Amino acid sequence: MSHHGTPTREHDKPMPAEQAPRPAPLRSVLQRDRVVTLLVMLGVCMLQYVAWQAYRGLEQEQAQATFARTVDQAALSLTRQTEQYRSALLGLRALYVASDSVTGHEFSRYAQALGRAEGLQGVRAFAFNRDLPAHARDTYISALRKNLGSADAAYAAFDIYPPSDLDRLHVVEMIHPPIGNQRSLGYDLNTSDIRRAAIARARDRGFGATPPLRLQQAPEAIAVLMLAPVVNQDGAPAHTVAASFLVSDLVNAAIAPTLRQQFHLQITDLGADSELHGPGEMLYEDTPVTSQQPLQPAVYRDYNFGGRQWQMRFIARNPDTTPIPTASLILLSIGGILMAGAISHLVQQRVHRAARHRALASMASDCVLEVNALGTVTSAGESTTRITGLVPACWQGHALWFNIVDEDAEVVEKTFRDCIAERKPVTLECRVKRSDDSTQWVEMRLDNHLDHHAIHSVLVQVSDIDARKQAEAEVARLAFFDPLTGLPNRRLLEQRAELTFSTAKRHRGRAAVIVLDLDGFKQINDNAGHAVGDIVLSTIARRLQAAVRDSDTVARLGGDEFAILLGEPANEVDVRAAANRLARDLNLPLNANGRNWFVSASIGIALYPDNGELFSELLSLADAAMYRSKRNGNGLISLAPNTPPPLS
């Protein structure tokens, strides 16, 4: 075949030069090569364009998922913060429920203790609100000025405002801290429709919150008032305890600044949960989004707080939505076939790095463990030591639950299996065994990425929540123990009495309730002051505990009145001996503020089951016997009379 592809035969004669076919022009060949090259380049460019478009879509989905997790984390932080506010207020209510009367000194001490608890940043004040008929207004004002005026100067000029024609008043009687909140003292909450509706809601449900309002002491900011009812002795929920917080303080305390930079937040009160939702009232809004910032679809989260329906609206700030410029796509295509492999390799490397970065960034910034499908930790960062107290080597190569306290290890293992099976993120709280034999509370968030081509692990975020757990335990302790003496309060005494009486009934045994009231304690307070009185009460509490068995319970009912619960054996002889021992130990002098003081006690006794089988009944009988002792002479011991047998 010739150069032109024409077959030659030996018998063919040479053609004349002027008749021979000319070679195809070089220009045509180059033009065809250019066309092919251009087609290949266009093909590669189109494939790259399609691939990049798909990648951008995946990146957008991952960004939306990441933002959704950020929203969930922020919403959870807000709800946890409000729940801590609610728990603190209910703890304050428990103080009133557990005691027959609460003095201004006890109220301030308890409110101050709550204010020191971690997690209550943003709470402006705690208050006790008195419900009383309008005709008792002047008598009430005079009595309060007399009783609380010496405690703080703010109470000396106490008055009720604003004037109204209402039949009943609901007055802010005590508030802590009084400094900065004087404008709220004496305010009649019933004169405000918003506050009156919140009081009614709190009485119906045990806890209520107001729509957005302006506080007397901070009229320039939007606030929310929480209320909880205090049940009177007749069972009617008349008085309330309250706490207020500015919504801006709530957001600042709950959401870290680095997290808030990722979104624009609006919180709207849509109204009571029993009403049809309208447009609502604005509770909080970040700096408005400027017109230069591209708007993204909002993410909403709803939350019911104290009977009010809140809606949280999140909009991502400065989202990365800039498409790849056309010129960049053209430049990526210029490389042609020879560069396609290198470009593909670089793109895959970038995809891997970006996927790993997004997966890790979607978790909290404390520390992250990588765990394989068998539950073995394959990677632990250096921050693990700071968060858990264990170096990374203590985690790597061991099961995730290897360093967990035995009581929690089984739960961690089950949760890990569930995370793999259900392919959903899960969160749990557990205790880690530290190297110094102590334990520490941590929170673990598990997210299954085993099927992800770039990760192939279950990522476990570990957060240190030990301080929060200690604060929660302290709040729970304050709800069941007297803050001055450390003794159980009436609420805890009732629970222990039920167990003691149940055990005595099952074994056909006996138990007893002793009520003890100090004689002469008022003179100590009047002569030496409440600080010395507190020292005396604390010393007496220690003496009472030392005078009974470890299985018995000594509780403070309030003021200078104590109760002792005696379990088996507790026949009349044993109980009288215990009462005599208590009276003898109390008669010993005690030193406070460099001076010896002498106190005695009037004691009343009620026996189980001779005088009754209900704790409330026995406590009432013992209290009556105690008052009988006090009338007959200080320092006496009286036994409640036996309950007569039922008539046949």
Side-chain angles (χ1 to χ4, degrees):
M1 182 173 289
S2 67
H3 178 72
H4 299 283
T6 303
T8 58
R9 292 182 292 272
E10 293 181 357
H11 59 274
D12 288 340
K13 296 181 179 180
M15 297 179 62
E18 62 272 17
Q19 299 180 2
R22 296 182 178 180
L26 181 59
R27 180 177 298 174
S28 299
V29 175
L30 294 176
Q31 185 176 5
R32 183 183 61 190
D33 292 341
R34 291 192 187 100
V35 170
V36 172
T37 301
L38 180 61
L39 290 175
V40 171
M41 293 176 64
L42 289 176
V44 171
C45 183
M46 291 178 62
L47 290 174
Q48 291 179 342
Y49 177 77
V50 171
W52 274 96
Q53 286 294 98
Y55 170 73
R56 293 295 295 180
L58 175 62
E59 192 173 45
Q60 185 68 20
E61 292 177 2
Q62 293 289 342
Q64 293 174 356
T66 300
F67 183 64
R69 286 190 289 270
T70 300
V71 167
D72 289 338
Q73 184 178 353
L76 180 61
S77 298
L78 285 170
T79 56
R80 283 181 174 175
Q81 191 71 18
T82 56
E83 285 303 312
Q84 289 177 357
Y85 291 173
R86 178 178 180 273
S87 298
L89 182 61
L90 294 182
L92 180 59
R93 181 183 71 173
L95 174 66
Y96 281 87
V97 173
S99 179
D100 294 335
S101 63
V102 177
T103 65
H105 181 69
E106 291 173 333
F107 171 83
S108 298
R109 179 189 293 272
Y110 193 88
Q112 185 177 6
L114 288 176
R116 288 196 298 264
E118 184 176 347
L120 294 184
Q121 300 93 331
V123 173
R124 302 282 294 187
F126 291 93
F128 171 74
N129 310 314
R130 173 80 60 180
D131 191 288
L132 68 154
H135 64 78
R137 173 191 181 106
D138 295 336
T139 303
Y140 167 71
I141 292 175
S142 299
L144 192 138
R145 289 177 178 176
K146 178 180 179 181
N147 295 333
L148 296 182
S150 60
D152 190 280
Y155 297 103
F158 180 90
D159 201 356
I160 299 176
Y161 75 99
S164 69
D165 297 328
L166 298 175
D167 294 332
R168 295 199 67 82
L169 311 177
H170 203 84
V171 182
V172 179
E173 178 176 300
M174 290 187 288
I175 193 165
H176 183 85
I179 298 176
N181 296 303
Q182 295 93 332
R183 295 181 62 184
S184 295
L185 272 178
Y187 179 70
D188 181 8
L189 275 66
N190 277 343
T191 60
S192 166
D193 294 339
I194 292 177
R195 292 167 173 84
R196 188 168 59 251
I199 292 171
R201 187 180 301 108
R203 287 172 174 171
D204 291 339
R205 304 186 179 190
F207 176 78
T210 65
L213 50 76
R214 307 283 180 171
L215 298 176
Q216 299 295 319
Q217 64 271 31
E220 72 284 356
I222 295 177
V224 170
L225 179 66
M226 306 178 295
L227 297 115
V230 177
V231 180
N232 284 340
Q233 294 179 353
D234 58 2
H239 316 310
T240 60
V241 289
S244 60
F245 61 88
L246 300 184
V247 183
S248 58
D249 290 347
L250 164 68
V251 175
N252 292 333
I255 306 177
T258 54
L259 193 63
R260 291 181 59 188
Q261 294 174 0
Q262 302 180 36
F263 52 77
H264 171 81
L265 173 62
Q266 290 179 343
I267 304 178
T268 305
D269 184 304
L270 299 180
D273 52 13
S274 59
E275 302 172 354
L276 294 177
H277 293 169
E281 298 179 74
M282 186 65 66
L283 279 167
Y284 175 84
E285 182 175 15
D286 281 331
T287 304
V289 180
T290 64
S291 58
Q292 291 78 17
Q293 295 174 323
L295 295 178
Q296 294 295 302
V299 178
Y300 294 88
R301 295 291 185 268
D302 293 332
Y303 175 55
N304 187 296
F305 179 65
R308 306 296 301 181
Q309 194 68 24
W310 289 6
Q311 183 184 76
M312 294 175 279
R313 182 171 181 259
F314 299 84
I315 302 177
R317 291 184 183 271
N318 301 321
D320 184 12
T321 58
T322 305
I324 299 176
T326 303
S328 299
L329 292 174
I330 295 175
L331 290 176
L332 289 173
S333 301
I334 291 178
I337 297 176
L338 295 178
M339 294 296 297
I343 293 174
S344 176
H345 175 74
L346 293 176
V347 169
Q348 292 301 317
Q349 292 298 314
R350 184 181 184 279
V351 170
H352 292 170
R353 289 193 299 269
R356 183 176 294 274
H357 173 74
R358 286 193 301 272
L360 295 177
S362 66
M363 311 292 285
S365 60
D366 292 327
C367 71
V368 176
L369 306 176
E370 295 185 25
V371 186
N372 61 22
L374 299 178
T376 303
V377 179
T378 59
S379 176
E382 293 298 328
S383 60
T384 305
T385 305
R386 175 175 54 85
I387 301 303
T388 68
L390 299 174
V391 297
C394 294
W395 292 94
Q396 293 175 357
H398 297 288
L400 177 62
W401 46 91
F402 177 77
N403 295 307
I404 305 301
V405 173
D406 295 341
E407 292 83 353
D408 301 341
E410 184 176 350
V411 176
V412 174
E413 181 178 2
K414 182 180 182 302
T415 303
F416 177 82
R417 305 300 181 196
D418 293 342
C419 177
I420 294 178
E422 299 177 6
R423 302 179 181 276
K424 294 181 180 179
V426 292
T427 302
L428 61 91
E429 296 178 353
C430 59
R431 290 164 293 173
V432 174
K433 296 182 291 188
R434 298 171 63 103
S435 56
D436 58 357
D437 295 330
S438 63
T439 60
Q440 174 185 340
W441 279 98
V442 298
E443 181 181 78
M444 289 186 174
R445 178 180 172 86
L446 292 76
D447 204 354
N448 185 358
H449 293 274
L450 290 171
D451 294 336
H452 198 291
H453 62 280
I455 303 177
H456 303 294
S457 298
V458 174
L459 299 180
V460 181
Q461 173 205 2
V462 182
S463 304
D464 181 7
I465 61 171
D466 198 65
R468 175 170 64 82
K469 280 293 192 179
Q470 292 180 6
E472 292 173 356
E474 178 63 15
V475 171
R477 188 190 68 80
L478 291 174
F480 288 96
F481 290 88
D482 176 55
L484 173 63
T485 63
L487 294 177
N489 57 24
R490 178 168 180 168
R491 184 178 180 184
L492 182 57
L493 179 64
E494 289 178 356
Q495 296 181 4
R496 293 187 178 178
E498 291 179 3
L499 295 176
T500 299
F501 294 166
S502 176
T503 302
K505 184 176 182 179
R506 188 167 56 252
H507 296 157
R508 297 184 178 181
R510 302 164 68 87
V513 176
I514 299 176
V515 173
L516 181 151
D517 189 84
L518 301 182
D519 301 321
F521 178 75
K522 183 177 183 302
Q523 287 74 12
I524 297 178
N525 272 340
D526 294 341
N527 296 332
H530 288 284
V532 174
D534 289 347
I535 297 174
V536 172
L537 287 176
S538 299
T539 304
I540 289 173
R542 290 193 296 272
R543 288 188 179 182
L544 292 177
Q545 286 182 305
V548 298
R549 300 167 298 187
D550 293 340
S551 58
D552 299 329
T553 299
V554 179
R556 184 188 179 197
L557 300 180
D560 59 346
E561 190 173 15
F562 298 84
I564 298 94
L565 175 66
L566 301 179
E568 296 185 78
N571 55 47
E572 182 176 343
V573 175
D574 295 330
V575 175
R576 284 187 177 276
N580 288 324
R581 187 167 57 253
L582 293 171
R584 181 197 62 208
D585 290 350
L586 290 181
N587 286 332
L588 297 176
L590 55 87
N591 184 275
N593 201 27
R595 176 180 172 183
N596 286 333
W597 302 92
F598 294 87
V599 294
S600 60
S602 297
I603 298 176
I605 302 171
L607 300 176
Y608 172 94
D610 305 84
N611 300 122
E613 296 185 355
L614 297 178
F615 171 74
S616 58
E617 180 182 5
L618 292 172
L619 183 63
S620 178
L621 291 173
D623 191 66
M626 179 272 293
Y627 278 108
R628 189 163 61 252
S629 298
K630 189 174 288 289
R631 287 193 301 270
N632 294 333
N634 294 341
L636 297 182
I637 300 173
S638 297
L639 181 67
N642 290 338
T643 303
L647 297 177
S648 58

